[in-house]
Amino acid sequence: MPTVTTSAKLNCSAAALRSYLGATANLPKTSDPELQLEVLNAPADVVQGGVIEFRVSALGFKQRMQHRYVSVTETEIVAEQTDGPTRSWTHKQLIEDHGDGTCTLTDEISFEKPGGMLGFVMTDDRITESIEEGMEFRYEALQAELEAG
């Protein structure tokens, strides 16, 4: 199963980052505008067992997805796809506090590409490239959001 790992050091406390990531309404603010992410249904706060439904536009396709938060702690948020175009999708977010007002966010995404005809378009390489580009945008947007307070 392909896994993409990215990380960024952010100028904020781990607690501030966790608080920001814990509000589902913030998700569209840090998603690449090309994805056109739209939250359809979600709890206000990220909680273990919570389900978020959303729609994105990826590789020319509008896709509805559903993820369940399977692990939520002060330093980790893990969501797994329960419905969507890929055979599987797991997104782990790990927060490391440096104790100096900075922290590192590491994102690890494991996936299995779709089957059928969609799998010919959404190849492992295309999905990996899309994740890496999306994470670049995410980290820049996160830093700007956190600095704005």
Side-chain angles (χ1 to χ4, degrees):
M1 180 179 325
T3 300
V4 180
T5 303
T6 60
S7 65
K9 187 173 182 180
L10 301 167
N11 295 317
C12 67
S13 70
L17 176 59
R18 176 59 182 83
S19 177
Y20 187 87
L21 294 175
T24 58
N26 290 333
L27 186 59
K29 298 175 187 176
T30 58
S31 295
D32 187 337
E34 288 185 20
L35 288 178
Q36 301 173 20
L37 187 136
E38 176 186 3
V39 176
L40 303 173
N41 189 19
D45 297 314
V46 172
V47 294
Q48 190 159 328
V51 174
I52 181 170
E53 293 180 65
F54 55 98
R55 185 175 20 242
V56 297
S57 179
L59 302 173
F61 299 96
K62 280 240 182 217
Q63 297 290 325
R64 187 189 147 283
M65 295 182 229
Q66 184 179 69
H67 290 182
R68 177 179 310 281
Y69 294 107
V70 296
S71 177
V72 178
T73 69
E74 290 302 310
T75 59
E76 177 184 77
I77 299 171
V78 181
E80 291 181 350
Q81 174 185 284
T82 55
D83 188 28
T86 56
R87 289 184 183 143
S88 71
W89 185 279
T90 301
H91 183 182
K92 295 180 184 178
Q93 301 174 81
L94 304 168
I95 302 169
E96 178 187 358
D97 189 2
H98 298 296
D100 62 357
T102 67
C103 62
T104 296
L105 174 60
T106 299
D107 289 275
E108 181 182 289
I109 298 173
S110 301
F111 65 91
E112 289 183 65
K113 72 178 187 156
M117 293 302 291
L118 190 56
F120 287 109
V121 176
M122 293 179 71
T123 63
D124 290 348
D125 288 343
R126 287 189 81 182
I127 294 170
T128 296
E129 181 181 342
S130 178
I131 291 168
E132 290 171 345
E133 289 173 359
M135 287 299 155
E136 283 181 39
F137 180 89
R138 179 179 194 228
Y139 296 140
E140 289 176 17
L142 262 174
Q143 188 64 63
E145 285 284 317
L146 291 163
E147 286 176 1

PDB file of all heavy atoms in Angstrom, residues 116-132:
ATOM      1  N   GLY A 116     -11.343  -0.722 -11.032  1.00  0.00           N
ATOM      2  CA  GLY A 116     -12.085  -0.436 -12.256  1.00  0.00           C
ATOM      3  C   GLY A 116     -11.437   0.630 -13.125  1.00  0.00           C
ATOM      4  O   GLY A 116     -10.237   0.889 -13.045  1.00  0.00           O
ATOM      5  N   MET A 117     -12.271   1.260 -13.922  1.00  0.00           N
ATOM      6  CA  MET A 117     -11.790   2.276 -14.870  1.00  0.00           C
ATOM      7  C   MET A 117     -11.180   3.472 -14.153  1.00  0.00           C
ATOM      8  O   MET A 117     -10.217   4.058 -14.629  1.00  0.00           O
ATOM      9  CB  MET A 117     -12.934   2.720 -15.792  1.00  0.00           C
ATOM     10  CG  MET A 117     -13.425   1.642 -16.734  1.00  0.00           C
ATOM     11  SD  MET A 117     -12.131   0.978 -17.802  1.00  0.00           S
ATOM     12  CE  MET A 117     -11.820   2.366 -18.849  1.00  0.00           C
ATOM     13  N   LEU A 118     -11.746   3.851 -12.997  1.00  0.00           N
ATOM     14  CA  LEU A 118     -11.213   4.994 -12.260  1.00  0.00           C
ATOM     15  C   LEU A 118      -9.768   4.753 -11.843  1.00  0.00           C
ATOM     16  O   LEU A 118      -8.958   5.674 -11.816  1.00  0.00           O
ATOM     17  CB  LEU A 118     -12.088   5.287 -11.030  1.00  0.00           C
ATOM     18  CG  LEU A 118     -11.824   6.580 -10.289  1.00  0.00           C
ATOM     19  CD1 LEU A 118     -11.920   7.795 -11.216  1.00  0.00           C
ATOM     20  CD2 LEU A 118     -12.799   6.730  -9.131  1.00  0.00           C
ATOM     21  N   GLY A 119      -9.409   3.497 -11.592  1.00  0.00           N
ATOM     22  CA  GLY A 119      -8.042   3.149 -11.219  1.00  0.00           C
ATOM     23  C   GLY A 119      -7.037   3.387 -12.332  1.00  0.00           C
ATOM     24  O   GLY A 119      -5.847   3.570 -12.063  1.00  0.00           O
ATOM     25  N   PHE A 120      -7.493   3.416 -13.580  1.00  0.00           N
ATOM     26  CA  PHE A 120      -6.588   3.708 -14.692  1.00  0.00           C
ATOM     27  C   PHE A 120      -6.237   5.191 -14.742  1.00  0.00           C
ATOM     28  O   PHE A 120      -5.181   5.569 -15.235  1.00  0.00           O
ATOM     29  CB  PHE A 120      -7.206   3.274 -16.033  1.00  0.00           C
ATOM     30  CG  PHE A 120      -7.228   1.787 -16.209  1.00  0.00           C
ATOM     31  CD1 PHE A 120      -8.425   1.096 -16.154  1.00  0.00           C
ATOM     32  CD2 PHE A 120      -6.053   1.080 -16.415  1.00  0.00           C
ATOM     33  CE1 PHE A 120      -8.456  -0.278 -16.307  1.00  0.00           C
ATOM     34  CE2 PHE A 120      -6.066  -0.299 -16.567  1.00  0.00           C
ATOM     35  CZ  PHE A 120      -7.278  -0.977 -16.506  1.00  0.00           C
ATOM     36  N   VAL A 121      -7.144   6.030 -14.252  1.00  0.00           N
ATOM     37  CA  VAL A 121      -6.916   7.476 -14.230  1.00  0.00           C
ATOM     38  C   VAL A 121      -6.228   7.883 -12.922  1.00  0.00           C
ATOM     39  O   VAL A 121      -5.278   8.646 -12.920  1.00  0.00           O
ATOM     40  CB  VAL A 121      -8.253   8.247 -14.401  1.00  0.00           C
ATOM     41  CG1 VAL A 121      -8.032   9.743 -14.289  1.00  0.00           C
ATOM     42  CG2 VAL A 121      -8.899   7.895 -15.723  1.00  0.00           C
ATOM     43  N   MET A 122      -6.728   7.366 -11.816  1.00  0.00           N
ATOM     44  CA  MET A 122      -6.190   7.709 -10.497  1.00  0.00           C
ATOM     45  C   MET A 122      -5.121   6.689 -10.115  1.00  0.00           C
ATOM     46  O   MET A 122      -5.325   5.834  -9.268  1.00  0.00           O
ATOM     47  CB  MET A 122      -7.319   7.747  -9.456  1.00  0.00           C
ATOM     48  CG  MET A 122      -8.306   8.868  -9.693  1.00  0.00           C
ATOM     49  SD  MET A 122      -9.642   8.899  -8.471  1.00  0.00           S
ATOM     50  CE  MET A 122      -8.768   9.444  -7.014  1.00  0.00           C
ATOM     51  N   THR A 123      -3.960   6.812 -10.758  1.00  0.00           N
ATOM     52  CA  THR A 123      -2.856   5.888 -10.498  1.00  0.00           C
ATOM     53  C   THR A 123      -2.176   6.244  -9.179  1.00  0.00           C
ATOM     54  O   THR A 123      -2.362   7.343  -8.641  1.00  0.00           O
ATOM     55  CB  THR A 123      -1.816   5.976 -11.627  1.00  0.00           C
ATOM     56  OG1 THR A 123      -1.262   7.301 -11.637  1.00  0.00           O
ATOM     57  CG2 THR A 123      -2.429   5.658 -12.998  1.00  0.00           C
ATOM     58  N   ASP A 124      -1.382   5.333  -8.659  1.00  0.00           N
ATOM     59  CA  ASP A 124      -0.621   5.596  -7.436  1.00  0.00           C
ATOM     60  C   ASP A 124       0.212   6.866  -7.572  1.00  0.00           C
ATOM     61  O   ASP A 124       0.249   7.696  -6.653  1.00  0.00           O
ATOM     62  CB  ASP A 124       0.302   4.416  -7.097  1.00  0.00           C
ATOM     63  CG  ASP A 124      -0.449   3.182  -6.629  1.00  0.00           C
ATOM     64  OD1 ASP A 124      -1.659   3.273  -6.335  1.00  0.00           O
ATOM     65  OD2 ASP A 124       0.195   2.112  -6.560  1.00  0.00           O
ATOM     66  N   ASP A 125       0.883   7.023  -8.720  1.00  0.00           N
ATOM     67  CA  ASP A 125       1.738   8.203  -8.923  1.00  0.00           C
ATOM     68  C   ASP A 125       0.934   9.494  -8.948  1.00  0.00           C
ATOM     69  O   ASP A 125       1.355  10.498  -8.374  1.00  0.00           O
ATOM     70  CB  ASP A 125       2.545   8.074 -10.227  1.00  0.00           C
ATOM     71  CG  ASP A 125       3.656   7.034 -10.126  1.00  0.00           C
ATOM     72  OD1 ASP A 125       4.021   6.642  -8.993  1.00  0.00           O
ATOM     73  OD2 ASP A 125       4.160   6.614 -11.192  1.00  0.00           O
ATOM     74  N   ARG A 126      -0.215   9.488  -9.602  1.00  0.00           N
ATOM     75  CA  ARG A 126      -1.045  10.703  -9.656  1.00  0.00           C
ATOM     76  C   ARG A 126      -1.616  11.049  -8.292  1.00  0.00           C
ATOM     77  O   ARG A 126      -1.682  12.212  -7.917  1.00  0.00           O
ATOM     78  CB  ARG A 126      -2.171  10.556 -10.682  1.00  0.00           C
ATOM     79  CG  ARG A 126      -1.620  10.622 -12.109  1.00  0.00           C
ATOM     80  CD  ARG A 126      -2.700  10.690 -13.116  1.00  0.00           C
ATOM     81  NE  ARG A 126      -3.191  12.061 -13.220  1.00  0.00           N
ATOM     82  CZ  ARG A 126      -4.183  12.422 -14.000  1.00  0.00           C
ATOM     83  NH1 ARG A 126      -4.793  11.530 -14.743  1.00  0.00           N
ATOM     84  NH2 ARG A 126      -4.581  13.667 -14.049  1.00  0.00           N
ATOM     85  N   ILE A 127      -2.025  10.037  -7.549  1.00  0.00           N
ATOM     86  CA  ILE A 127      -2.553  10.284  -6.208  1.00  0.00           C
ATOM     87  C   ILE A 127      -1.440  10.813  -5.307  1.00  0.00           C
ATOM     88  O   ILE A 127      -1.641  11.783  -4.570  1.00  0.00           O
ATOM     89  CB  ILE A 127      -3.195   9.007  -5.624  1.00  0.00           C
ATOM     90  CG1 ILE A 127      -4.447   8.628  -6.437  1.00  0.00           C
ATOM     91  CG2 ILE A 127      -3.546   9.211  -4.159  1.00  0.00           C
ATOM     92  CD1 ILE A 127      -5.007   7.260  -6.107  1.00  0.00           C
ATOM     93  N   THR A 128      -0.264  10.206  -5.377  1.00  0.00           N
ATOM     94  CA  THR A 128       0.880  10.657  -4.573  1.00  0.00           C
ATOM     95  C   THR A 128       1.226  12.103  -4.894  1.00  0.00           C
ATOM     96  O   THR A 128       1.422  12.926  -3.990  1.00  0.00           O
ATOM     97  CB  THR A 128       2.103   9.749  -4.815  1.00  0.00           C
ATOM     98  OG1 THR A 128       1.783   8.437  -4.350  1.00  0.00           O
ATOM     99  CG2 THR A 128       3.339  10.266  -4.097  1.00  0.00           C
ATOM    100  N   GLU A 129       1.288  12.441  -6.173  1.00  0.00           N
ATOM    101  CA  GLU A 129       1.594  13.816  -6.587  1.00  0.00           C
ATOM    102  C   GLU A 129       0.541  14.789  -6.071  1.00  0.00           C
ATOM    103  O   GLU A 129       0.862  15.866  -5.569  1.00  0.00           O
ATOM    104  CB  GLU A 129       1.672  13.890  -8.115  1.00  0.00           C
ATOM    105  CG  GLU A 129       2.016  15.266  -8.645  1.00  0.00           C
ATOM    106  CD  GLU A 129       2.062  15.308 -10.163  1.00  0.00           C
ATOM    107  OE1 GLU A 129       2.171  14.250 -10.810  1.00  0.00           O
ATOM    108  OE2 GLU A 129       1.990  16.428 -10.706  1.00  0.00           O
ATOM    109  N   SER A 130      -0.716  14.405  -6.154  1.00  0.00           N
ATOM    110  CA  SER A 130      -1.797  15.259  -5.673  1.00  0.00           C
ATOM    111  C   SER A 130      -1.699  15.475  -4.162  1.00  0.00           C
ATOM    112  O   SER A 130      -1.884  16.596  -3.666  1.00  0.00           O
ATOM    113  CB  SER A 130      -3.144  14.627  -6.028  1.00  0.00           C
ATOM    114  OG  SER A 130      -4.204  15.401  -5.530  1.00  0.00           O
ATOM    115  N   ILE A 131      -1.386  14.428  -3.415  1.00  0.00           N
ATOM    116  CA  ILE A 131      -1.224  14.544  -1.959  1.00  0.00           C
ATOM    117  C   ILE A 131      -0.073  15.496  -1.637  1.00  0.00           C
ATOM    118  O   ILE A 131      -0.215  16.400  -0.804  1.00  0.00           O
ATOM    119  CB  ILE A 131      -0.980  13.168  -1.317  1.00  0.00           C
ATOM    120  CG1 ILE A 131      -2.234  12.306  -1.403  1.00  0.00           C
ATOM    121  CG2 ILE A 131      -0.521  13.319   0.135  1.00  0.00           C
ATOM    122  CD1 ILE A 131      -2.006  10.840  -1.048  1.00  0.00           C
ATOM    123  N   GLU A 132       1.067  15.317  -2.290  1.00  0.00           N
ATOM    124  CA  GLU A 132       2.236  16.153  -2.008  1.00  0.00           C
ATOM    125  C   GLU A 132       1.957  17.626  -2.314  1.00  0.00           C
ATOM    126  O   GLU A 132       2.312  18.507  -1.528  1.00  0.00           O
ATOM    127  CB  GLU A 132       3.449  15.647  -2.792  1.00  0.00           C
ATOM    128  CG  GLU A 132       3.963  14.317  -2.256  1.00  0.00           C
ATOM    129  CD  GLU A 132       5.026  13.667  -3.125  1.00  0.00           C
ATOM    130  OE1 GLU A 132       5.192  14.076  -4.311  1.00  0.00           O
ATOM    131  OE2 GLU A 132       5.688  12.735  -2.631  1.00  0.00           O
TER     132      GLU A 132
END
